[in-house]
Amino acid sequence: MIEKIRQRLFAFLKSDKDVPVLAGFSVGIYMFLLLYSRNLGMYNSLVQLLFYSCYYILMPVTILFLGCLIIEKLKFVKFKKQFLFAGVLCFFLFFIIQNNDFGFSKKIALAASFVIVAILSFFLKKYYKIAVVLLLFMAVLNIPSVLASVAVITFADKGYNHPTDDIEAVKFKNNPNIYYIQPDGYASFDNLKNKLHGYDNSAYEDFLSQNGFTMYGDYRSNYASTLLSNSATFLMKHHYAANDIELFNARGIIVGDNPVLRILKNNGYKSHFITENPYLLLNRPKLGYDTTNIPYSEIPFLGGVLAKNVCSDLKARLDEDNRSGGHNFYFIEKFLPSHIHNNKPESLGAAIEKSEYFKRLNEMNLWLKELISFIMAKDKNAMIIIGADHGGFVGYDYMGQSFEKRTSDKELVKSIFGAQLAIRWTTEKSREYDTRLKTGINLFRTVFSFLSEDKKYLDSMQENSSFMRLENNQGVYKYIGENGNIVFEKI
């Protein structure tokens, strides 16, 4: 068998017959499988599958095939191999440079690469089939990763999308408009006061206090990333960083089908997702919200910056909702103050990262004051929730450092999970319901119990613990226990 394959391979390489279709297919299928082996969770919609099939496979196949036809028609056959050599390598380099950030101008890199390939094509044109074989071989190497990802999605246990009690049958006695404002990576009130942070946030806290907000100083997230934290919050249930959640299904839960949106809908609410950029919409999940300020038609397939003015979009949404009436839920996402840089090469060092984080936090404070003032002027009975997704990772050199190994430093652990929570309740009865509100997983359970005036739903509170998946197959660890104590228990 191996000998036959070897003989056919050598026969293919020695043959004078040109293969423009196979040449285009080789570079296309490699890029297609590479994309899906690494990022299936971001590109798993049907429309994306069709687009990338056409872009990575059909486009090079068509161009190389038509190019060879034109060369033959013009009787420049002696340049066909040179064209195929240059075509395969130029497509490969174009796709690689387009999909990676090398820290320098992509246009200059592409121009330099194409010039080098053009020169090489005069000397190495007869070897283009070697590139075809290598690309097909590398494409095959990506198949197991793609199949493994598909298997995770296909056979995942979807039981996490159902609460442990009958809270989906809850009936609200009070129906204020609910504004869930999520600052990305905003540290908790307690964290900002500790030695690691040492940030004076008193002016902002005074603003919240004057406007009737209850501040939850030791609030924290249950997970260390936006996707994992938000998916648990909207599920009102732990998923323990399950692979299918982490890699593939988080966006579909957060902006798609989840118990929180189902409960709101059952109580007559319309829901609106207003965000600064399409991070949670990238894989175009089936939308569970009635409206969003970023329609899928505006989301680019090939990167590019899409930024929305959240305040302007919310104002337009409120004007329309005021005319139509009814009860409304707004999930408002702003990607500030964010967190320190993700990776080591980008890091400016712990001290500078901390300083830059505080600059963004100050900017976020100004933004929040403006937004809250606007909401309260428009909607005097509003319930406003300011709930961050996780901490800012202040104290680390870079965010990824926290996933590399466990730490016994309590303040560093709290820097990962400690997140801001402040709620403007509609009545003073909130203290009867929020005494166990410590983490995001119980946020909406507490809110719904308060709105229904039914404390039975508090009997099924989830464990107020925080979990983290460490890299290099180290596993998932419980970092903070129910009572806020630092633990290291492998799950």
Side-chain angles (χ1 to χ4, degrees):
M1 172 67 93
I2 296 176
E3 181 60 25
K4 285 184 179 180
I5 293 174
R6 190 181 70 83
Q7 290 176 1
R8 289 182 180 179
L9 180 60
F10 276 107
F12 169 74
L13 294 174
K14 292 178 179 179
S15 172
D16 288 330
K17 183 180 179 182
D18 290 312
V19 287
V21 172
L22 184 61
F25 178 79
S26 67
V27 66
I29 194 64
Y30 168 69
M31 291 305 306
F32 180 82
L33 291 175
L34 178 66
L35 178 77
Y36 277 91
S37 67
R38 294 179 175 181
N39 300 294
L40 183 59
M42 290 176 62
Y43 306 113
N44 57 6
S45 67
L46 179 59
V47 66
Q48 288 170 299
L49 180 65
L50 292 173
F51 174 83
Y52 292 116
S53 297
C54 293
Y55 184 72
Y56 286 120
I57 300 175
L58 186 59
M59 182 173 69
V61 165
T62 302
I63 290 176
L64 293 187
F65 176 74
L66 292 178
C68 285
L69 281 182
I70 294 171
I71 288 172
E72 290 175 357
K73 290 288 184 182
L74 297 176
K75 299 183 179 179
F76 293 143
V77 178
K78 65 178 181 179
F79 295 109
K80 189 192 288 187
K81 283 183 171 55
Q82 190 173 346
F83 169 74
L84 289 173
F85 176 91
V88 169
L89 290 186
C90 284
F91 267 118
F92 173 75
L93 291 169
F94 171 75
F95 289 143
I96 291 295
I97 292 172
Q98 182 187 58
N99 285 287
N100 292 278
D101 186 5
F102 298 102
F104 48 82
S105 171
K106 291 188 177 184
K107 291 182 180 179
I108 294 175
L110 283 171
S113 300
F114 290 171
V115 169
I116 294 171
V117 169
I119 295 171
L120 291 175
S121 68
F122 286 96
F123 307 99
L124 304 174
K125 59 185 178 183
K126 64 180 180 179
Y127 300 113
Y128 82 88
K129 288 184 180 178
I130 294 177
V132 171
V133 171
L134 288 175
L135 285 166
L136 290 172
F137 176 73
M138 291 190 296
V140 170
L141 294 180
N142 287 307
I143 291 177
S145 295
V146 175
L147 293 178
S149 297
V150 171
V152 169
I153 295 174
T154 303
F155 299 108
D157 176 13
K158 299 302 190 297
Y160 48 66
N161 208 342
H162 299 284
T164 55
D165 63 353
D166 65 344
I167 193 170
E168 286 201 43
V170 63
K171 297 299 180 184
F172 297 171
K173 292 184 178 179
N174 303 294
N175 299 88
N177 290 329
I178 304 170
Y179 300 80
Y180 178 35
I181 305 169
Q182 185 170 94
D184 181 63
Y186 199 126
S188 69
F189 294 106
D190 284 0
N191 274 6
L192 290 174
K193 295 173 184 175
N194 66 22
K195 291 182 180 179
L196 180 62
H197 290 74
Y199 183 79
D200 182 5
N201 209 24
S202 56
Y204 172 68
E205 291 186 25
D206 289 344
F207 169 83
L208 293 178
S209 180
Q210 290 166 11
N211 285 279
F213 281 83
T214 300
M215 287 169 277
Y216 299 82
D218 59 349
Y219 180 81
R220 53 189 158 82
S221 65
N222 300 99
Y223 298 91
S225 74
T226 299
L227 294 179
L228 291 180
S229 175
N230 269 331
S231 51
T233 296
F234 281 96
L235 287 171
M236 300 187 295
K237 188 175 181 181
H238 278 294
H239 48 62
Y240 302 105
N243 280 329
D244 61 300
I245 292 278
E246 186 169 25
L247 299 178
F248 313 114
N249 292 329
R251 289 178 174 85
I253 291 169
I254 297 164
V255 300
D257 179 39
N258 61 65
V260 169
L261 291 182
R262 293 197 295 265
I263 288 169
L264 289 165
K265 184 177 181 179
N266 291 341
N267 282 275
Y269 278 76
K270 287 185 177 180
S271 56
H272 313 281
F273 179 44
I274 300 173
T275 182
E276 189 175 32
N277 71 53
Y279 176 70
L280 294 179
L281 302 168
L282 286 175
N283 66 330
R284 296 161 171 80
K286 184 178 179 182
L287 202 62
Y289 287 82
D290 292 296
T291 71
T292 178
N293 65 325
I294 302 182
Y296 288 166
S297 59
E298 293 185 9
I299 302 176
F301 286 96
L302 298 172
V305 177
L306 176 62
K308 292 285 188 175
N309 187 314
V310 173
C311 287
S312 296
D313 289 349
L314 177 63
K315 290 174 183 178
R317 182 73 256 164
L318 287 179
D319 287 340
E320 187 170 334
D321 292 340
N322 286 337
R323 290 192 296 270
S324 59
H327 314 303
N328 293 279
F329 170 76
Y330 304 92
F331 179 22
I332 304 163
E333 188 183 36
K334 176 76 170 176
F335 289 90
L336 280 179
S338 188
H339 46 69
I340 64 174
H341 276 107
N342 284 308
N343 304 311
K344 188 174 183 178
E346 304 167 337
S347 175
L348 303 173
I352 298 177
E353 291 287 348
K354 173 180 174 179
S355 175
E356 293 298 312
Y357 173 80
F358 289 150
K359 289 179 183 178
R360 297 191 301 272
L361 190 144
N362 185 58
E363 181 183 346
M364 187 60 184
N365 283 348
L366 295 175
W367 185 88
L368 283 167
K369 289 178 182 178
E370 178 186 350
L371 182 68
I372 291 166
S373 297
F374 169 78
I375 292 172
M376 293 181 62
K378 283 277 189 178
D379 190 350
K380 297 188 183 302
N381 297 316
M383 172 180 281
I384 305 174
I385 304 167
I386 307 170
D389 50 353
H390 51 70
F393 293 79
V394 165
Y396 286 98
D397 290 316
Y398 54 96
M399 183 179 174
Q401 194 175 33
S402 65
F403 296 92
E404 293 172 359
K405 61 181 180 180
R406 294 182 296 169
T407 177
S408 57
D409 188 316
K410 293 182 179 181
E411 290 196 345
L412 282 178
V413 173
K414 290 180 178 180
S415 180
I416 298 171
F417 299 103
Q420 180 186 130
L421 178 67
I423 302 179
R424 181 181 186 267
W425 300 94
T426 54
T427 73
E428 295 181 358
K429 290 184 178 180
S430 61
R431 300 310 298 174
E432 300 177 19
Y433 298 86
D434 67 354
T435 55
R436 292 173 58 198
L437 177 53
K438 301 293 182 182
T439 64
I441 205 163
N442 290 312
L443 173 60
F444 284 108
R445 177 174 288 277
T446 302
V447 168
F448 295 158
S449 297
F450 168 78
L451 293 176
S452 66
E453 299 180 8
D454 194 337
K455 295 179 183 177
K456 77 172 184 178
Y457 298 112
L458 300 178
D459 295 335
S460 298
M461 298 275 276
Q462 285 276 290
E463 179 185 2
N464 281 311
S465 296
S466 299
F467 300 86
M468 190 167 186
R469 179 183 293 278
L470 296 180
E471 294 176 350
N472 302 320
N473 298 317
Q474 295 180 64
V476 178
Y477 285 80
K478 180 190 291 187
Y479 260 49
I480 303 178
E482 169 72 30
N483 297 318
N485 52 313
I486 306 299
V487 297
F488 294 109
E489 298 176 8
K490 191 169 185 179
I491 303 302

